[in-house]
Amino acid sequence: MDTEQQQGMGYQLHLFGDVEGSVRHGAGSEGGTGASAFEERQVSTASGQQRALTSALMEEVCKRGNLNRAYKRVKRNQGAPGADGMTVEGLGDWLSEHKEELVASLLDGTYRPQPVRRVEIPKPGGGMRALSIPTVVDRLVQQALLQVLEPLLDPTFSESSYGFRPGRSAHQALRKAQEYVADGRLIVVDIDLDKFFDRVNHDVLMSRLARRVADKRLLRIVRRFLEAGIMRDGVCVRRHEGTPQGGPLSPLLANLLLDDLDKELERRGHSFCRYADDCNIYVRSQAAGERVMASITQFLEKRLRLRVNGDKSGVDVVGRRKFLGHRVLPGGRLVIAPESLRRVKDRIRRITRRNRGVSLRKMIGELNEFLRGWVTYFRYAECRKHLSRLDEWTRRRLRCVRLKQRKRAKPIADFLRQQGVPEWRAWLLALSGKGWWRLAGSPQAAQAMSLDWFREQGLVSLTERYVELTHWKKPPDTISMSGGVRGRGP
């Protein structure tokens, strides 16, 4: 018996090699780098031989190092409990008692996922998005499956697919879109799939997976994850289509299904960028765009049994459509889409509500956490004027909050005087009968709560942060302001 077989069988005698200890001190040689010799063989072997090598994938899934890495990822991601109520903190204790039976059920293919918990969150464009929260144990198993399947499947995906893939990002998709537009493809075929994650056909998806994976135990378990019921109001509802949006395995399965779309677009010679279920195809004329839209819609509905959202899809000039929160203008210039600006203002409004009952310092802390991430995402867009106006508007909202927290005339006047406002001017504002928003826009409020005052409070300036990011982090292969292509960075 070789070493790998001994490790696979001996695994059942250990608690993932002491789960807690391995997570803290490293999972050993198998879990340290995240790549095994098996995974390297998969990438370098021809496609026909690949499938022959995938008949023992469950042994790879159940290796101590792989499960330790999965446990570490689940712990780091945290997340809400599933339908059984088990928290991430309770996973270690559960594994101490049930590790042998968990591994045995995976190796013999009898593992059965529990129903997912369905929650709904507001979508940025209106409506509700349904999320499915698997149990913590199911998340562990999905993560372990993902870590074995991703090195096998991802190298076969299209170069024009950017969503939820290692080493790829939304910014890379935007840069490629800029190149297409700068090259004169000024018409975009914007395809949006209607409730994609809820409409995935299980038979179509499993047939794509079976082309690459021969281990029937793994295929059986993945199918059970797809068919796991939905727990809603205490009742378990069976699911006949869709992949649960919220589990670790879901993005990989989505890319696997939509890889057929990518390969079809490549076969036809189209220039396109796809990020998850958001696909933009760039052509040179409106007539060509209409033809592409009709033929690709037919392909998606007949071949993949997916539905194109007619309200959100369309063929138009690039500057009138948004892609990943941006607009690409003729010449390849990148700007923030108006919808993204409306969304950020809505989020700032929610954080800076005057009746929240939280301290200004805590409010600024929440703002900073959101604004840093937001401006980092949009750092490659030409948006300095928008950011300057957004900074001014945000500061006025915070001035409004601060004045309202003082409540009465004397505390307001005292605060203004403490900040250097002359007494008569402080009382003039404090005794005014105007509303809080009007008071926040007064010269007295601007003098008392100046830029320096906000810096002392620790508020992030979007404009200053944007200048820092664009100065120090020049993106490779981007389109310059004039529309030319920059050279590759160091």
Side-chain angles (χ1 to χ4, degrees):
M1 184 178 297
D2 61 26
T3 303
E4 287 189 1
Q5 288 176 326
Q6 290 175 353
Q7 289 176 344
M9 295 182 65
Y11 168 83
Q12 299 180 47
L13 303 177
H14 303 278
L15 177 62
F16 300 168
D18 180 14
V19 175
E20 297 286 356
S22 297
V23 169
R24 287 194 298 267
H25 302 106
S29 61
E30 291 178 355
T33 64
S36 65
F38 172 82
E39 293 168 349
E40 294 174 2
R41 291 201 307 269
Q42 294 301 311
V43 176
S44 61
T45 308
S47 59
Q49 295 172 318
Q50 277 184 346
R51 193 173 184 280
L53 288 172
T54 60
S55 59
L57 282 183
M58 287 309 300
E59 279 70 23
E60 298 294 324
V61 171
C62 293
K63 278 188 175 180
R64 181 175 65 246
N66 186 60
L67 286 170
N68 276 323
R69 286 190 288 118
Y71 176 79
K72 181 179 179 180
R73 178 59 65 89
V74 171
K75 290 277 287 186
R76 184 167 66 245
N77 290 346
Q78 290 296 309
D84 62 353
M86 183 190 298
T87 63
V88 174
E89 289 73 19
L91 179 58
D93 293 336
W94 186 92
L95 290 173
S96 298
E97 299 179 11
H98 301 91
K99 59 184 181 299
E100 291 89 356
E101 56 192 87
L102 172 63
V103 175
S105 65
L106 291 173
L107 289 174
D108 62 21
T110 60
Y111 180 82
R112 290 192 174 275
Q114 298 185 55
V116 297
R117 183 166 66 90
R118 177 63 62 95
V119 296
E120 293 185 342
I121 60 174
K123 295 175 67 174
M128 303 297 290
R129 173 179 284 115
L131 292 181
S132 300
I133 303 178
T135 65
V136 178
V137 177
D138 285 343
R139 294 208 292 269
L140 172 71
V141 174
Q142 285 196 36
Q143 183 64 38
L145 291 169
L146 174 67
Q147 290 167 180
V148 170
L149 287 175
E150 191 171 64
L152 173 69
L153 301 179
D154 189 81
T156 69
F157 293 158
S158 168
E159 287 297 314
S160 297
S161 169
Y162 297 91
F164 307 111
R165 297 182 61 189
R168 291 175 171 265
S169 68
H171 291 138
Q172 292 175 332
L174 289 166
R175 289 198 287 271
K176 182 56 72 173
Q178 287 179 276
E179 291 179 18
Y180 291 146
V181 174
D183 191 42
R185 295 176 174 85
L186 302 181
I187 303 297
V188 60
V189 181
D190 187 358
I191 297 176
D192 184 271
L193 297 176
D194 185 33
K195 297 181 179 179
F196 168 70
F197 285 93
D198 292 334
R199 298 188 186 278
V200 170
N201 184 278
H202 293 171
D203 293 333
V204 174
L205 176 56
M206 290 305 301
S207 69
R208 271 56 179 176
L209 185 59
R211 291 175 186 171
R212 297 167 167 88
V213 173
D215 194 324
K216 294 183 179 180
R217 297 166 298 173
L218 188 145
L219 294 173
R220 193 180 304 126
I221 290 175
V222 171
R223 181 93 188 201
R224 287 172 184 158
F225 272 118
L226 293 175
E227 296 177 346
I230 301 171
M231 189 64 70
R232 185 180 298 161
D233 299 326
V235 178
C236 183
V237 181
R238 295 188 64 184
R239 180 171 54 214
H240 301 285
E241 63 178 2
T243 174
Q245 188 177 3
L249 201 55
S250 182
L252 179 66
L253 296 178
N255 278 329
L256 174 63
L257 179 63
L258 291 176
D259 190 56
D260 275 21
L261 170 63
D262 299 338
K263 294 301 193 292
E264 178 67 15
L265 292 172
E266 289 175 347
R267 186 184 67 80
R268 300 183 187 188
H270 289 307
S271 301
F272 70 98
C273 299
R274 183 178 65 79
Y275 192 93
D277 58 337
D278 192 357
C279 182
N280 277 10
I281 308 167
Y282 297 89
V283 296
R284 298 183 185 275
S285 69
Q286 183 74 20
E290 298 291 350
R291 288 195 301 270
V292 170
M293 174 63 82
S295 61
I296 292 302
T297 298
Q298 185 179 32
F299 173 85
L300 287 167
E301 293 181 348
K302 289 191 174 181
R303 181 76 65 84
L304 300 182
R305 302 185 190 178
L306 298 172
R307 185 180 303 172
V308 174
N309 189 327
D311 295 332
K312 294 184 179 180
S313 302
V315 180
D316 210 336
V317 178
V318 288
R320 296 177 186 168
R321 308 292 298 192
K322 69 179 179 68
F323 181 49
L324 301 177
H326 296 72
R327 285 194 301 161
V328 185
L329 303 182
R333 294 171 52 234
L334 197 66
V335 299
I336 301 178
E339 297 90 336
S340 299
L341 291 172
R342 285 196 292 269
R343 264 181 235 157
V344 69
K345 294 188 78 170
D346 288 341
R347 181 68 179 272
I348 294 173
R349 282 192 188 97
R350 290 196 297 271
I351 295 175
T352 59
R353 289 197 318 271
R354 298 193 295 272
N355 60 352
R356 284 191 62 197
V358 301
S359 67
L360 186 68
R361 185 170 297 277
K362 181 176 180 180
M363 192 175 287
I364 288 176
E366 293 179 20
L367 264 179
N368 287 345
E369 184 178 357
F370 167 67
L371 293 177
R372 283 194 187 99
W374 186 85
V375 74
T376 299
Y377 178 74
F378 286 102
R379 65 188 180 274
Y380 297 137
E382 299 175 21
C383 57
R384 191 164 178 174
K385 286 185 179 180
H386 290 301
L387 297 181
S388 178
R389 293 172 188 155
L390 200 55
D391 273 334
E392 294 173 1
W393 181 77
T394 302
R395 288 193 295 267
R396 183 169 178 177
R397 288 195 63 85
L398 290 173
R399 291 184 184 114
C400 190
V401 170
R402 188 71 183 102
L403 291 174
K404 188 175 186 295
Q405 287 178 344
R406 307 302 291 179
K407 294 183 179 179
R408 296 181 178 82
K410 187 176 185 307
I412 292 175
D414 291 343
F415 169 73
L416 295 175
R417 286 192 297 108
Q418 290 170 5
Q419 303 304 320
V421 178
E423 184 172 359
W424 70 272
R425 296 188 70 213
W427 278 105
L428 186 65
L429 179 68
L431 295 173
S432 171
K434 296 177 182 177
W436 297 113
W437 183 249
R438 292 283 298 276
L439 296 179
S442 65
Q444 295 97 314
Q447 180 183 350
M449 292 171 277
S450 61
L451 285 173
D452 290 337
W453 185 85
F454 279 111
R455 288 193 184 99
E456 292 176 3
Q457 307 306 311
L459 179 67
V460 167
S461 167
L462 290 172
T463 308
E464 293 176 2
R465 181 63 179 156
Y466 174 76
V467 171
E468 292 175 6
L469 291 168
T470 53
H471 179 70
W472 291 107
K473 297 184 179 180
K474 296 293 185 182
D477 292 332
T478 59
I479 306 301
S480 66
M481 296 290 187
S482 61
V485 181
R486 296 193 184 113
R488 183 173 297 277

